Amino acid sequence: MAILVAACSTIDCSLNSRVAATYKLAGDVKKLATPLTVTAYLGDGNDSVILNKLADADSFQLPMSYNHHEDTFYFKSDTTANAPTDTVVITKEDIPHFEAVDCNPIFFHEIKGVRHTRHFIDSIVVNNKHVTNGPSKSNFFLYLKSDIH
């Protein structure tokens, strides 16, 4: 009986509860030549730097919120002191993912759309609309203007 009780009390919660979208550089610019800083709008009038001066990379991940239908990010390419900032808005549906009653809640996401300004970002294409905590192909292809980078 003790073995049966011990077997039932084992909780197999996922160790990776972080859910982030993967952005892959595509087009003429395959690697960040100048540092990129990304700030997230938190929805309460505040911003938070989530990627600080990333350089020499071909991809990066940005976390997604689980309490907003849209995530707003500010991409700043540090080419000059007055470098322009692009605003990127990801529209998504939050999908609760249940593993066990004793596990922390996890939300997966389905990307519904993306819109952005075009100062140094040429375009963003949705490649994989399902954002989970598991390994997957890139969610977005990010095309940067080659005359700026």
Side-chain angles (χ1 to χ4, degrees):
M1 183 69 163
I3 295 173
L4 184 59
V5 171
C8 292
S9 66
T10 302
I11 300 170
D12 190 22
C13 295
S14 173
L15 296 175
N16 183 16
S17 61
R18 181 176 178 245
V19 178
T22 302
Y23 294 73
K24 173 83 173 151
L25 294 179
D28 294 338
V29 180
K30 302 279 190 211
K31 208 172 247 200
L32 291 171
T34 58
L36 175 69
T37 298
V38 179
T39 305
Y41 176 69
L42 300 179
D44 60 358
N46 294 311
D47 298 336
S48 177
V49 174
I50 54 175
L51 191 65
N52 191 24
K53 299 188 183 217
L54 177 70
D56 199 35
D58 66 347
S59 63
F60 55 90
Q61 291 186 320
L62 298 178
M64 300 190 84
S65 70
Y66 57 88
N67 56 354
H68 299 290
H69 293 294
E70 288 187 340
D71 286 343
T72 302
F73 299 105
Y74 304 109
F75 286 58
K76 182 174 175 94
S77 178
D78 295 336
T79 52
T80 65
N82 295 331
T85 300
D86 271 316
T87 302
V88 176
V89 179
I90 309 296
T91 306
K92 62 188 175 57
E93 179 181 347
D94 300 326
I95 303 165
H97 177 72
F98 178 78
E99 291 189 12
V101 174
D102 294 328
C103 297
N104 288 329
I106 297 175
F107 284 85
F108 292 165
H109 310 280
E110 183 176 329
I111 298 167
K112 298 296 186 179
V114 59
R115 62 187 190 277
H116 60 88
T117 57
R118 299 178 187 272
H119 298 291
F120 69 91
I121 295 176
D122 184 52
S123 63
I124 301 175
V125 176
V126 177
N127 179 53
N128 176 17
K129 67 180 182 173
H130 302 287
V131 183
T132 68
N133 64 342
S136 66
K137 61 184 177 179
S138 299
N139 301 101
F140 297 100
F141 287 142
L142 179 63
Y143 294 86
L144 301 178
K145 293 181 179 179
S146 58
D147 59 337
I148 296 175
H149 280 273

